[in-house]
Amino acid sequence: MAAKLSGGGGDRFNVEQNSEINVTPFVDVMLVLLIIFMVAAPLASVSIEVNLPPAVAKATPNPPKPVYISIKANGQLYIGDDRTSIDTMGEDLTKSIGRRDPSKERIFIRADEKTRYGSFMEVMNTLQDNGFYSVALIGRDENS
């Protein structure tokens, strides 16, 4: 806060307070920044003309669509949105990944928190029996 030092008469040890905001330093800083950016902006552009060669990079293929297996609390199995059973899960998974290598394919498993452990292990064993060795388990993020 600023203090008012001038004044006529009164007690010389009693200083009144001035509650007005002094914006002069703020304006000074903003003007200096404006001048710096006005000077630096033309220096950021390139003025030398160069004939660049064309880029001949191979187009990268899109990553494959991830495969999700969902296990409901009552034991029902789904691959994506399609219902399956433990007996046909290997065939259905092979159909869903197409010609990709099952040993390099990552399978995402979503299971209800009330799913029996035995049902979960049946799914894991069936995956392994059909050559799917890379498995990721999905859980709920409590922070978001």
Side-chain angles (χ1 to χ4, degrees):
M1 286 197 173
K4 185 176 180 184
L5 297 177
S6 64
D11 189 7
R12 75 181 217 190
F13 297 108
N14 187 9
V15 178
E16 295 180 27
Q17 291 185 351
N18 182 5
S19 62
E20 295 177 9
I21 298 174
N22 187 1
V23 294
T24 304
F26 176 72
V27 172
D28 289 345
V29 169
M30 289 298 120
L31 287 174
V32 168
L33 288 175
L34 177 66
I35 292 170
I36 289 172
F37 286 124
M38 287 174 56
V39 170
L43 298 176
S45 64
V46 178
S47 60
I48 299 172
E49 188 174 329
V50 176
N51 190 10
L52 296 173
V56 189
K58 294 181 182 177
T60 58
N62 291 336
K65 182 179 176 187
V67 178
Y68 291 96
I69 294 179
S70 301
I71 309 171
K72 293 184 87 172
N74 60 5
Q76 292 178 344
L77 294 174
Y78 293 87
I79 296 175
D81 294 332
D82 303 324
R83 185 154 182 207
T84 187
S85 68
I86 199 72
D87 299 325
T88 62
M89 187 175 72
E91 297 168 9
D92 294 340
L93 269 174
T94 305
K95 287 179 192 173
S96 68
I97 66 166
R99 289 186 255 153
R100 300 188 304 243
D101 183 13
S103 63
K104 295 180 181 175
E105 191 70 28
R106 177 171 285 177
I107 306 297
F108 295 90
I109 298 179
R110 302 169 56 233
D112 191 275
E113 64 184 350
K114 295 183 179 163
T115 301
R116 288 187 29 239
Y117 185 70
S119 301
F120 178 77
M121 285 308 296
E122 283 180 339
V123 170
M124 294 289 289
N125 290 334
T126 304
L127 287 173
Q128 198 170 29
D129 292 343
N130 287 286
F132 295 95
Y133 301 113
S134 180
V135 175
L137 303 179
I138 298 177
R140 180 179 51 214
D141 187 12
E142 294 292 330
N143 295 331
S144 55

